[in-house]
Structure formats: structure tokens, C-alpha cells
Amino acid sequence: MQMLSLDLGERSYPIFFGAELLKDKSILAPYLGNEGVLIVTNETVAPLYLQDVRDLLDGHQVDELILPDGERYKTLDTLNLIFNTLLEKGRTRGCMLIALGGGVIGDMTGFAAACYQRGVDFIQIPTTLLAQVDSSVGGKTAVNHRLGKNMIGAFHQPKAVIIDVDTLKTLPDREFRSGLAEVIKYGLIVDKNFFSWLEENIDALLARQNDSLLYAIECSCRLKAQIVSVDEKEGGVRAILNFGHTFGHAIETHQKYGEWLHGEAIAVGMLMAAKMSAKMNWLPAEDVERISRLLKIVGLPVDPPPDLSPQQFLNHMVVDKKARLGIIRLVLLKAIGQAVISADYEPDLLRAIVTPG
Ligand code: NAD
Ligand code: GLY
């Protein structure tokens, strides 16, 4: 087992990663009080890993809540099911929530933990690649609103993140490839050597070899932890973690969080942001080609859905949380491994990027 630390003063926490961690009782034990544990998971993950987590909690009062599976259930209504369970069981402020699942479960459980009795502890046990390299780390929690993704939420850091790479063995291929989009993101925004490593090792990653996966997870979590530790609440640099997301969220909102997976939308968004960076004479055209090539090898889409008009695209982008007074702030690339946040671009340039052809 390996460990990284996300340093945030009294809110610091460890990120454990390795194989067979769901068989190791010693990891979870130090975080459990005696006021009860609620495991929140979903109907897909429960048959795979709920028993393993139950076994780690021998001797504790354990409740479990199995939610329906899917982004469309990432709502205030579903969140209320978590509160109902906690209240019906009479859980007090010293209880612990455990999020067992992908980013949807992690974001909702974290938000429930942020709100319940004004804040209780929670632990992330992410089981998708996307959740292991991104959503479980950094304390962003949220649910969606009809008018925008992740619009209702809070910053609430977990007490620990436990990443068992073995859980990726059961992850459907499309979900796995979608998670790789976020891994590629880290190389693009802050670490050109990691991007080159990904280009060289993409076959091993696609074959889900544990050593390559663990290296990619370690790099991703380390890079994210470094950024979050200097800007927990996204006052500045943390916004670069949203590279590709302003475009990607527009695609997801347009589709009402249905057809495309998050990483697929982000893949298209990253390439659009790279093309915009090239149009601003920052990123060389050959680097745009490198990015496009890697995304295609992974099997991710590189073009937006054809039914999303340029005006709809821009309308959805204005709802982005980085927008200020109607001005869309974009994360762009000065180079591979060097992201910047900018609103200093010609509006016509952005319109050209969201216009097909
Ligand atoms: P997800 O949670 O919907 O999981 C994808 C699918 O995989 C689901 O059907 C799930 O049940 C299934 N699954 C999970 N683990 C499995 C396993 N080990 N084996 C088999 N099936 C498994 O999607 P996701 O991609 O993990 O997360 C996307 C969500 O994360 C979005 O809501 C997005 O907004 C959010 N997100 C949050 C942050 C953050 O910082 N909080 C960052 C990125 C994304
Ligand atoms: N996924 C973006 C962030 O955590 O800030």
C-alpha cells in the first residue's frame, strides 16, 4: 500500500492506494467512532463490493443505503434519501458516512456529509477510475440542478480516501476509458512529462495493468493534491482542474446528463480548449495533434454532438461556475503541461471553436 497526503492544515487527509485494500481492516479502523457508520452505494456497486466494506466494519453499527445508479439520480431528491436514513436511524454528529462507488455516489455522499447536522465526517472509497483520480480527492461535493450541473454543493473534505485498484477490474470498458480523460487532463495542465509517459504507456493502461494504473493514479492524485492544497476553494489556480470542463459541461447539460459520460464530454472539451489555445498562437498545432491522437487511441470522442448549435453551446457555457458577469473564463494551454485561466480572448474566436466545420 502507498500513501499520499493532501495538506490542508487541520483538514489534511491521507489518500491510500494499492491492490487488495478492501481486504485490509487496518486502514479504515482509525477513522471509525462509535456513533454509527452509513455506507452509501448504488445498485451496481453493492453486489460487487458492499460485503467487502461491511467486513471491514466488524463490530460497528453499520447501516447501508443502496441508491439507484446514474447521473440522473444525482439530485436533491436522492440526497434526501440519505438524510431520511440518517434521521430514521437517529444518527448523531459523530457518525461517519462512507461513499462506495463512482463520482456520483462520492459527490452526493460528500454533500450529504457536509449538510447533515451542519457537517459530519465521511470517507471516500472510489471505485471508478474517474473517481479514483479526481472526484474523490479535493472535497468538491454537489448535486445537479435542472438548469446546471453540480450547481448545488459545498466544499467538504473527506477524512481519508481509499483507492483499491482491484475494483477497476469490474469497471465497464467505456467507463474506464472515460476515466482516462481525467488522467490525461493532469498531463495537459501541469505535467508534460506525465503526458509523454501516458503517450508511451497507453497500451498498458488500456490493458489495465496494475503497476501502470497505480503509477497513473499516483501521479494524478499527487498533482491534484498539490493544486488543492494551495487553493482549496478555487479562488484561483484550482480552476485549471476544470480544463475542458466549460465546453464539456455544456455538452452534458445539453444532453441532460444522459447519453455521454462525463469523461467523454471532457475529452471533447479538452480538444476544443486546445484548438482555441492554438488559435491564440499559444499551443503549436502539432501539440493539438498529439492530444487528438491520444484521445482517439483511448477511444474517446473528439467532436461535439452534431445537434448542439453554437448559440446553445455558448448559452450553456455562461452557466459555468467560472463565468463572471456573463464573461466565460476558459482554461487554456500555453503549452502541454502549462494551463492558464483566461477571459482575454476575442468572442468571435470562441464562437468559431463551437461552430462545427
Ligand atoms: P458514476 O459514479 O456514474 O459511475 C459510473 C458507472 O460505473 C455507474 O454505473 C457505476 O454504478 C458504475 N461503477 C462504479 N464502480 C464500478 C466498478 N468498480 N465496477 C463496475 N461498475 C462500477 O460516474 P463517474 O464517472 O465515476 O463520476 C462522474 C461524476 O463525478 C459526475 O457526476 C461528475 O460531476 C463528478 N465529478 C466530480 C468531481 C469532483 O471534484 N467532485 C470531479 C470530476 C467528476
Ligand atoms: N474536478 C475539479 C476539481 O476538483 O476542482
PDB file of all heavy atoms in Angstrom, residues 16 18 86 98 115 117 132-133 160 203 220 243 246 279 301 319 331 347:
ATOM      1  N   PHE A  16      -4.883   6.685   0.390  1.00  0.00           N
ATOM      2  CA  PHE A  16      -4.231   5.366   0.348  1.00  0.00           C
ATOM      3  C   PHE A  16      -4.500   4.754  -1.017  1.00  0.00           C
ATOM      4  O   PHE A  16      -5.643   4.813  -1.510  1.00  0.00           O
ATOM      5  CB  PHE A  16      -4.813   4.444   1.416  1.00  0.00           C
ATOM      6  CG  PHE A  16      -4.664   4.964   2.820  1.00  0.00           C
ATOM      7  CD1 PHE A  16      -5.733   5.550   3.495  1.00  0.00           C
ATOM      8  CD2 PHE A  16      -3.441   4.871   3.489  1.00  0.00           C
ATOM      9  CE1 PHE A  16      -5.596   6.025   4.793  1.00  0.00           C
ATOM     10  CE2 PHE A  16      -3.296   5.341   4.789  1.00  0.00           C
ATOM     11  CZ  PHE A  16      -4.375   5.927   5.440  1.00  0.00           C
ATOM     12  N   GLY A  18      -3.482   1.213  -3.662  1.00  0.00           N
ATOM     13  CA  GLY A  18      -2.789  -0.059  -3.820  1.00  0.00           C
ATOM     14  C   GLY A  18      -3.790  -1.121  -4.231  1.00  0.00           C
ATOM     15  O   GLY A  18      -4.945  -0.812  -4.549  1.00  0.00           O
ATOM     16  N   LEU A  86     -30.371   8.636   7.760  1.00  0.00           N
ATOM     17  CA  LEU A  86     -29.618   9.081   8.942  1.00  0.00           C
ATOM     18  C   LEU A  86     -30.574   9.469  10.071  1.00  0.00           C
ATOM     19  O   LEU A  86     -30.360   9.108  11.241  1.00  0.00           O
ATOM     20  CB  LEU A  86     -28.724  10.270   8.575  1.00  0.00           C
ATOM     21  CG  LEU A  86     -27.526   9.936   7.674  1.00  0.00           C
ATOM     22  CD1 LEU A  86     -26.914  11.210   7.081  1.00  0.00           C
ATOM     23  CD2 LEU A  86     -26.453   9.155   8.440  1.00  0.00           C
ATOM     24  N   ILE A  98     -19.720   6.629   4.521  1.00  0.00           N
ATOM     25  CA  ILE A  98     -18.732   6.065   3.591  1.00  0.00           C
ATOM     26  C   ILE A  98     -19.345   6.067   2.203  1.00  0.00           C
ATOM     27  O   ILE A  98     -20.433   5.514   1.993  1.00  0.00           O
ATOM     28  CB  ILE A  98     -18.327   4.632   4.002  1.00  0.00           C
ATOM     29  CG1 ILE A  98     -17.578   4.663   5.340  1.00  0.00           C
ATOM     30  CG2 ILE A  98     -17.459   3.988   2.907  1.00  0.00           C
ATOM     31  CD1 ILE A  98     -17.108   3.306   5.827  1.00  0.00           C
ATOM     32  N   CYS A 115     -23.841  18.587   4.866  1.00  0.00           N
ATOM     33  CA  CYS A 115     -25.078  19.228   5.337  1.00  0.00           C
ATOM     34  C   CYS A 115     -25.631  18.610   6.618  1.00  0.00           C
ATOM     35  O   CYS A 115     -26.235  19.307   7.428  1.00  0.00           O
ATOM     36  CB  CYS A 115     -26.170  19.113   4.275  1.00  0.00           C
ATOM     37  SG  CYS A 115     -25.752  19.873   2.715  1.00  0.00           S
ATOM     38  N   GLN A 117     -26.570  17.682   9.984  1.00  0.00           N
ATOM     39  CA  GLN A 117     -26.255  18.297  11.281  1.00  0.00           C
ATOM     40  C   GLN A 117     -25.088  19.283  11.170  1.00  0.00           C
ATOM     41  O   GLN A 117     -24.213  19.336  12.015  1.00  0.00           O
ATOM     42  CB  GLN A 117     -25.999  17.210  12.324  1.00  0.00           C
ATOM     43  CG  GLN A 117     -27.212  16.304  12.455  1.00  0.00           C
ATOM     44  CD  GLN A 117     -27.288  15.541  13.752  1.00  0.00           C
ATOM     45  OE1 GLN A 117     -26.432  15.676  14.619  1.00  0.00           O
ATOM     46  NE2 GLN A 117     -28.320  14.739  13.892  1.00  0.00           N
ATOM     47  N   GLN A 132     -11.308   7.722  -8.722  1.00  0.00           N
ATOM     48  CA  GLN A 132     -10.024   7.470  -8.060  1.00  0.00           C
ATOM     49  C   GLN A 132      -9.001   8.565  -8.366  1.00  0.00           C
ATOM     50  O   GLN A 132      -8.144   8.855  -7.543  1.00  0.00           O
ATOM     51  CB  GLN A 132      -9.482   6.098  -8.469  1.00  0.00           C
ATOM     52  CG  GLN A 132     -10.382   4.969  -7.964  1.00  0.00           C
ATOM     53  CD  GLN A 132      -9.842   3.582  -8.207  1.00  0.00           C
ATOM     54  OE1 GLN A 132      -8.851   3.404  -8.925  1.00  0.00           O
ATOM     55  NE2 GLN A 132     -10.492   2.585  -7.627  1.00  0.00           N
ATOM     56  N   VAL A 133      -9.065   9.146  -9.562  1.00  0.00           N
ATOM     57  CA  VAL A 133      -8.046  10.141  -9.914  1.00  0.00           C
ATOM     58  C   VAL A 133      -8.547  11.573  -9.762  1.00  0.00           C
ATOM     59  O   VAL A 133      -7.777  12.507  -9.928  1.00  0.00           O
ATOM     60  CB  VAL A 133      -7.519   9.961 -11.362  1.00  0.00           C
ATOM     61  CG1 VAL A 133      -6.851   8.619 -11.518  1.00  0.00           C
ATOM     62  CG2 VAL A 133      -8.623  10.157 -12.394  1.00  0.00           C
ATOM     63  N   ALA A 160     -10.470  10.521   4.728  1.00  0.00           N
ATOM     64  CA  ALA A 160      -9.479   9.679   4.038  1.00  0.00           C
ATOM     65  C   ALA A 160     -10.066   9.244   2.702  1.00  0.00           C
ATOM     66  O   ALA A 160     -11.290   9.235   2.519  1.00  0.00           O
ATOM     67  CB  ALA A 160      -9.133   8.446   4.882  1.00  0.00           C
ATOM     68  N   ASP A 203      -0.952   1.669 -23.955  1.00  0.00           N
ATOM     69  CA  ASP A 203      -1.411   0.280 -24.175  1.00  0.00           C
ATOM     70  C   ASP A 203      -1.495  -0.488 -22.851  1.00  0.00           C
ATOM     71  O   ASP A 203      -2.452  -1.223 -22.617  1.00  0.00           O
ATOM     72  CB  ASP A 203      -0.472  -0.445 -25.146  1.00  0.00           C
ATOM     73  CG  ASP A 203      -0.591   0.115 -26.559  1.00  0.00           C
ATOM     74  OD1 ASP A 203      -1.625   0.770 -26.832  1.00  0.00           O
ATOM     75  OD2 ASP A 203       0.340  -0.070 -27.360  1.00  0.00           O
ATOM     76  N   SER A 220      -1.752  11.327 -10.810  1.00  0.00           N
ATOM     77  CA  SER A 220      -2.960  12.155 -10.888  1.00  0.00           C
ATOM     78  C   SER A 220      -3.320  12.702  -9.507  1.00  0.00           C
ATOM     79  O   SER A 220      -3.582  13.897  -9.345  1.00  0.00           O
ATOM     80  CB  SER A 220      -4.132  11.333 -11.435  1.00  0.00           C
ATOM     81  OG  SER A 220      -3.809  10.800 -12.705  1.00  0.00           O
ATOM     82  N   PHE A 243     -10.026  22.151 -16.771  1.00  0.00           N
ATOM     83  CA  PHE A 243      -9.638  22.190 -18.180  1.00  0.00           C
ATOM     84  C   PHE A 243     -10.577  21.289 -19.004  1.00  0.00           C
ATOM     85  O   PHE A 243     -10.765  20.113 -18.662  1.00  0.00           O
ATOM     86  CB  PHE A 243      -8.185  21.715 -18.328  1.00  0.00           C
ATOM     87  CG  PHE A 243      -7.720  21.681 -19.752  1.00  0.00           C
ATOM     88  CD1 PHE A 243      -7.702  22.828 -20.525  1.00  0.00           C
ATOM     89  CD2 PHE A 243      -7.313  20.486 -20.333  1.00  0.00           C
ATOM     90  CE1 PHE A 243      -7.289  22.794 -21.845  1.00  0.00           C
ATOM     91  CE2 PHE A 243      -6.890  20.440 -21.650  1.00  0.00           C
ATOM     92  CZ  PHE A 243      -6.885  21.606 -22.409  1.00  0.00           C
ATOM     93  N   THR A 246     -15.595  23.491 -19.179  1.00  0.00           N
ATOM     94  CA  THR A 246     -16.587  24.504 -19.557  1.00  0.00           C
ATOM     95  C   THR A 246     -17.274  24.070 -20.850  1.00  0.00           C
ATOM     96  O   THR A 246     -18.502  24.143 -20.977  1.00  0.00           O
ATOM     97  CB  THR A 246     -15.910  25.880 -19.719  1.00  0.00           C
ATOM     98  OG1 THR A 246     -15.161  26.125 -18.523  1.00  0.00           O
ATOM     99  CG2 THR A 246     -16.919  26.981 -19.902  1.00  0.00           C
ATOM    100  N   LYS A 279      -5.403  28.636 -31.705  1.00  0.00           N
ATOM    101  CA  LYS A 279      -5.857  29.830 -32.453  1.00  0.00           C
ATOM    102  C   LYS A 279      -5.309  31.107 -31.822  1.00  0.00           C
ATOM    103  O   LYS A 279      -5.185  32.140 -32.482  1.00  0.00           O
ATOM    104  CB  LYS A 279      -7.385  29.874 -32.477  1.00  0.00           C
ATOM    105  CG  LYS A 279      -8.006  28.925 -33.487  1.00  0.00           C
ATOM    106  CD  LYS A 279      -9.254  29.561 -34.107  1.00  0.00           C
ATOM    107  CE  LYS A 279      -9.980  28.617 -35.038  1.00  0.00           C
ATOM    108  NZ  LYS A 279      -9.361  28.422 -36.312  1.00  0.00           N
ATOM    109  N   PRO A 301     -14.376  10.374 -27.692  1.00  0.00           N
ATOM    110  CA  PRO A 301     -14.821  11.219 -28.804  1.00  0.00           C
ATOM    111  C   PRO A 301     -13.974  12.486 -28.882  1.00  0.00           C
ATOM    112  O   PRO A 301     -13.437  12.954 -27.867  1.00  0.00           O
ATOM    113  CB  PRO A 301     -16.269  11.555 -28.447  1.00  0.00           C
ATOM    114  CG  PRO A 301     -16.400  11.307 -27.000  1.00  0.00           C
ATOM    115  CD  PRO A 301     -15.360  10.295 -26.599  1.00  0.00           C
ATOM    116  N   VAL A 319     -23.446  29.456 -17.985  1.00  0.00           N
ATOM    117  CA  VAL A 319     -23.891  28.987 -16.669  1.00  0.00           C
ATOM    118  C   VAL A 319     -22.731  28.387 -15.873  1.00  0.00           C
ATOM    119  O   VAL A 319     -22.839  28.119 -14.692  1.00  0.00           O
ATOM    120  CB  VAL A 319     -25.045  27.941 -16.826  1.00  0.00           C
ATOM    121  CG1 VAL A 319     -25.580  27.467 -15.485  1.00  0.00           C
ATOM    122  CG2 VAL A 319     -26.177  28.531 -17.646  1.00  0.00           C
ATOM    123  N   VAL A 331     -10.151  27.754 -19.354  1.00  0.00           N
ATOM    124  CA  VAL A 331      -8.823  27.216 -19.053  1.00  0.00           C
ATOM    125  C   VAL A 331      -8.205  26.849 -20.398  1.00  0.00           C
ATOM    126  O   VAL A 331      -8.775  26.059 -21.157  1.00  0.00           O
ATOM    127  CB  VAL A 331      -8.904  25.989 -18.129  1.00  0.00           C
ATOM    128  CG1 VAL A 331      -7.493  25.525 -17.770  1.00  0.00           C
ATOM    129  CG2 VAL A 331      -9.712  26.304 -16.881  1.00  0.00           C
ATOM    130  N   PRO A 347     -14.362  37.214 -28.556  1.00  0.00           N
ATOM    131  CA  PRO A 347     -15.576  36.379 -28.535  1.00  0.00           C
ATOM    132  C   PRO A 347     -15.781  35.615 -29.848  1.00  0.00           C
ATOM    133  O   PRO A 347     -16.261  34.482 -29.845  1.00  0.00           O
ATOM    134  CB  PRO A 347     -16.697  37.391 -28.296  1.00  0.00           C
ATOM    135  CG  PRO A 347     -16.032  38.550 -27.626  1.00  0.00           C
ATOM    136  CD  PRO A 347     -14.629  38.602 -28.128  1.00  0.00           C
TER     137      PRO A 347
END
